[in-house]
Amino acid sequence: MEWLFESYLWTLWSVILVMLLSLYALWRRRILMARFGEVDLVRRLATSVSGRRRRYKSTLMTITVGLICIALAGPQIGTQLREVKREGVDLVIALDVSASMLAEDVAPNRLGRARNEIKRILGELRGDRVGLVIFAGDAFIQCPLTTDYSAVRLFLDVANPDLLPTPGTDFGAAIQMAIQAFEAPSVSLDPDANRSKALLIVSDGENHVEGLESMISQALESGIKIYAAGVGDVTGTPIPVYNDRGQRTGYKRDLQGQIVSTRLEESGLKALSRDGAYFQVARTSSSLSQLIPALNQLDQSTLAVEEFEDYDLKYQWPLALALLLLCLDGFISIRRHPSSLNNP
């Protein structure tokens, strides 16, 4: 036998408590009878009360409390074979970590807000494999496709502009690296390698490289549906600059010494996601949660079939017996039937 909530077995101490209370009540009755008069005489005068039935009721109440405690702990008896299918799609998230993502037009900044929104999405996924690509002027696979969302969150936490020394934002490099993530040997050798593929590009939209159309066409030919999420505000905001100790030293300036402003460029992101969907992560709102129903519309493939033995929960039996004893206790009276008063 196993227990679903083994920690609740401590409630069985209440059985001993009920027994002690019953003994105390018996002792208390005897003390009161002794105060009233001689005990044997009082018992002969109070023949309408059955001491045996009173003991029966105390015993029933003790057993009932024990059964309720056992039901609360969730007894599990025997096993049954269960089969669980994990279905989903392959999703690669391409996160922009360029310097412009440090802009603070959304709190705490674009990159921090993007991380939080992606983690919220991970919390709503069920069975999908997720990979992470980070990009700026270059790109690389930060985390291969996996169902271990905790690992993806860890890689998200360390994603920052320092990981990619090449400045700028190259959507083409992000798409190319995402294609490689989908075509990794561990994925291509999978017996169900033709499952649905989705790419989510999270960026502020400032693409600095030409020739993007050919990369989009290549992704579509590979069966990849592209979604995009724009992070930031459409009005300009400066880009903060930090030293090695993480302290802000000012704002980024151009060659003429003017402060450089950055703003959300939605046009490029909408062009990327013309066959998928575009979401915006603004200052006080976000539509990225709509990615989940969009993914659910894709063909769900069986990622794994797992069989395991599961204990059969049997809390109903002790609970039903406890209720039956409670009903029985209600029908038992400590008063004798008038016809039996002459035969104590």
Side-chain angles (χ1 to χ4, degrees):
M1 178 184 292
E2 297 290 335
W3 303 94
L4 182 61
F5 304 108
E6 188 174 359
S7 60
Y8 288 173
L9 288 175
W10 68 268
T11 57
L12 287 172
W13 286 102
S14 60
V15 176
I16 298 177
L17 178 60
V18 172
M19 294 175 62
L20 293 176
L21 289 175
S22 298
L23 292 175
Y24 173 77
L26 176 62
W27 173 79
R28 184 66 178 170
R29 283 195 299 271
R30 289 182 177 180
I31 294 296
L32 294 176
M33 289 172 65
R35 291 180 180 178
F36 186 76
E38 186 179 347
V39 175
D40 291 339
L41 178 61
V42 173
R43 285 179 177 174
R44 285 196 297 269
L45 293 175
T47 55
S48 62
V49 177
S50 174
R52 181 180 299 177
R53 292 187 180 185
R54 182 179 276 134
R55 288 192 295 271
Y56 286 163
K57 290 176 70 68
S58 298
T59 302
L60 286 178
M61 183 57 62
T62 303
I63 296 174
T64 298
V65 171
L67 290 172
I68 292 176
C69 294
I70 292 174
L72 185 63
Q76 297 176 311
I77 304 175
T79 59
Q80 56 184 354
L81 191 64
R82 296 182 183 271
E83 183 180 275
V84 176
K85 292 183 178 180
R86 292 194 294 108
E87 297 182 338
V89 302
D90 284 349
L91 171 66
V92 170
I93 301 174
L95 176 61
D96 186 356
V97 294
S98 60
S100 62
M101 290 292 287
L102 297 178
E104 299 173 347
D105 48 355
V106 293
N109 55 40
R110 293 177 182 176
L111 183 57
R113 180 67 180 278
R115 288 199 199 102
N116 294 336
E117 292 295 326
I118 293 172
K119 289 178 181 179
R120 187 175 294 112
I121 292 297
L122 292 176
E124 299 181 21
L125 294 178
R126 296 291 183 271
D128 304 285
R129 293 195 300 189
V130 180
L132 178 63
V133 169
I134 63 172
F135 71 97
D138 198 359
F140 71 87
I141 300 174
Q142 178 85 333
C143 178
L145 286 168
T146 179
T147 55
D148 186 355
Y149 301 153
S150 297
V152 181
R153 291 187 181 95
L154 290 176
F155 283 112
L156 270 173
D157 289 335
V158 299
N160 62 79
D162 295 334
L163 297 179
L164 289 171
T166 307
T169 302
D170 188 348
F171 288 156
I175 295 174
Q176 182 63 45
M177 198 56 60
I179 294 174
Q180 293 184 26
F182 286 120
E183 295 177 351
S186 59
V187 178
S188 59
L189 294 178
D190 191 280
D192 191 18
N194 293 323
R195 65 174 55 91
S196 298
K197 304 172 185 177
L199 168 62
L200 172 65
I201 298 178
V202 183
S203 173
D204 54 16
E206 293 186 343
N207 180 48
H208 301 139
V209 179
E210 301 293 335
L212 188 59
E213 286 297 326
S214 61
M215 297 303 304
I216 296 176
S217 299
Q218 184 179 351
L220 297 178
E221 291 173 2
S222 300
I224 302 173
K225 186 173 285 292
I226 302 177
Y227 301 89
V231 185
D233 194 81
V234 293
T235 59
T237 186
I239 303 174
V241 178
Y242 299 90
N243 58 23
D244 295 337
R245 292 177 294 180
Q247 298 174 336
R248 181 187 297 177
T249 58
Y251 294 98
K252 187 176 180 180
R253 297 177 180 271
D254 57 20
L255 297 178
Q256 288 74 35
Q258 299 297 319
I259 294 179
V260 176
S261 294
T262 176
R263 64 185 183 91
L264 172 63
E265 299 283 355
E266 292 184 305
S267 57
L269 293 170
K270 289 180 179 179
L272 284 173
S273 58
R274 58 177 178 265
D275 292 321
Y278 170 73
F279 314 101
Q280 184 177 3
V281 180
R283 187 187 304 273
T284 58
S285 63
S286 172
S287 61
L288 188 55
S289 59
Q290 297 301 315
L291 175 67
I292 301 300
L295 294 178
N296 292 336
Q297 293 178 0
L298 302 179
D299 293 334
Q300 304 288 310
S301 302
T302 300
L303 302 181
V305 178
E306 299 177 355
E307 291 186 352
F308 63 95
E309 289 187 348
D310 189 20
Y311 285 97
D312 196 10
L313 191 60
K314 295 294 185 182
Y315 73 92
Q316 305 92 336
W317 296 105
L319 183 60
L321 184 56
L323 294 176
L324 179 62
L325 293 180
L326 280 177
C327 294
L328 182 61
D329 179 77
F331 286 106
I332 297 177
S333 173
I334 62 174
R335 299 288 180 180
R336 296 177 185 271
H337 194 273
S339 61
S340 63
L341 292 180
N342 296 326
N343 301 301

